Amino acid sequence: MSRTVIEVNNVSMRFHMNADKILSLKEFVTRKLRGKIQYEDFTALDHVSFSVQSGETLGLIGHNGAGKSTMLKVISGILKPTEGSVTTRGSVVPMLELGSGFDMDLTGRENIFLNGAILGYSEEFLQERYDEIVAFAELGQFIDVPIRNYSSGMMARLAFSVASLVEPEILIVDEILSVGDAPFQEKSRARMKDLMGGGTTVLFVSHSLDQIREMCKRVVWLEHGQVKMVGKTEEVCDAYNSFQGVPC
């Protein structure tokens, strides 16, 4: 019997932004002291509501600036919504900015344990999965090199390996299946499918509707921070394409 593991209830997210084009700290301080800085509110999310069931893979689509990444950060607990609430039931592993929890001065090996600890896993558990993580990342002897010397592809492979091999209950994914070379992308997709088949609940953002159609059974379409449509993948993706003027 399925249960609701992510519940987004009437969530709004507004940012108080500087409306002036200030090019230096000196100019900012001068205007601040004179009370001449202009601010404006930007609404990234506007009363958004939806839910995700256990074991479900839900896609999140929309154009750049539609609010997708902001929504994922709110669900992950990185941002606190201005209004509304988010309830999650289970451990949440966000794959939003791969490598954001890494220390550039530590080696790949050390960062596996650091990042794993940040995600809430014990040293014993990470020791058990260590060889598997290193093999998946395909780093070989570079695992003992400080990651400041890694290429962006190497960094992404290590980050994806740590995040995807620790068996999360809820996985939040933002555009990560495009990292690395083509073989690694294919391996990443296969790993994602394994997680989905194993009961992991996945909230998945991608600009690739082909990936959304392949991975997801249901989709939320955000437009200018609001829910435009929620429903079966084919129906929502076809409607989105029509809205964009793209033949289905």
Side-chain angles (χ1 to χ4, degrees), residues 1-246:
M1 181 177 176
S2 65
R3 63 188 178 95
T4 301
V5 294
I6 302 175
E7 191 166 359
V8 178
N9 184 26
N10 206 33
V11 164
S12 293
M13 188 77 217
R14 288 186 292 275
F15 296 97
H16 197 49
M17 301 176 65
N18 175 17
D20 297 318
K21 292 184 179 179
I22 297 176
L23 302 178
S24 69
L25 178 60
K26 179 180 179 181
E27 184 181 1
F28 173 81
V29 173
T30 302
R31 290 199 186 189
K32 182 73 172 177
L33 291 174
R34 293 176 178 174
K36 293 185 176 181
I37 295 181
Q38 301 294 318
Y39 292 94
E40 62 183 20
D41 284 338
F42 170 70
T43 301
L45 298 170
D46 187 7
H47 298 95
V48 173
S49 295
F50 63 87
S51 61
V52 188
Q53 302 302 304
S54 61
E56 181 179 22
T57 300
L58 181 77
L60 201 58
I61 64 173
H63 63 79
N64 288 334
K68 304 184 301 298
S69 294
T70 301
M71 187 73 260
L72 296 189
K73 289 177 181 178
V74 170
I75 293 172
S76 301
I78 297 170
L79 294 175
K80 183 179 180 180
T82 309
E83 295 179 34
S85 63
V86 172
T87 303
T88 57
R89 299 175 178 91
S91 60
V92 178
V93 173
M95 280 198 273
L96 305 181
E97 298 173 3
L98 288 179
S100 59
F102 285 169
D103 186 321
M104 301 301 289
D105 291 324
L106 299 181
T107 66
R109 180 191 301 270
E110 291 166 331
N111 271 290
I112 287 174
F113 291 95
L114 171 65
N115 203 233
I118 290 172
L119 293 174
Y121 294 93
S122 68
E123 182 178 358
E124 181 181 7
F125 177 82
L126 294 168
Q127 288 282 8
E128 292 174 358
R129 305 304 298 269
Y130 175 79
D131 289 341
E132 189 178 354
I133 290 170
V134 174
F136 193 95
E138 303 173 0
L139 290 174
Q141 73 266 27
F142 290 101
I143 197 64
D144 288 313
V145 172
I147 64 170
R148 64 173 177 271
N149 298 312
Y150 282 17
S151 67
S152 58
M154 293 167 69
M155 184 92 69
R157 293 204 306 271
L158 180 60
F160 181 87
S161 301
V162 174
S164 66
L165 289 169
V166 292
E167 300 175 353
E169 293 176 271
I170 301 171
L171 186 63
I172 298 179
V173 181
D174 189 4
E175 295 288 358
I176 54 81
L177 296 187
S178 59
V179 302
D181 55 20
F184 190 79
Q185 289 177 25
E186 183 57 38
K187 188 164 73 168
S188 299
R189 281 194 291 272
R191 175 58 186 158
M192 290 291 295
K193 289 182 177 179
D194 287 344
L195 288 171
M196 295 169 194
T200 295
T201 302
V202 180
L203 187 56
F204 181 51
V205 165
S206 177
H207 283 104
S208 168
L209 289 190
D210 288 339
Q211 286 185 358
I212 293 288
R213 290 179 192 270
E214 177 188 1
M215 298 286 186
C216 307
K217 291 185 177 180
R218 203 163 59 93
V219 172
V220 174
W221 169 11
L222 289 181
E223 191 70 29
H224 300 297
Q226 296 180 322
V227 175
K228 179 82 171 179
M229 186 176 179
V230 181
K232 294 180 179 179
T233 298
E234 292 301 319
E235 294 175 359
V236 178
C237 287
D238 287 350
Y240 180 74
N241 272 337
S242 296
F243 183 81
Q244 301 292 326
V246 178

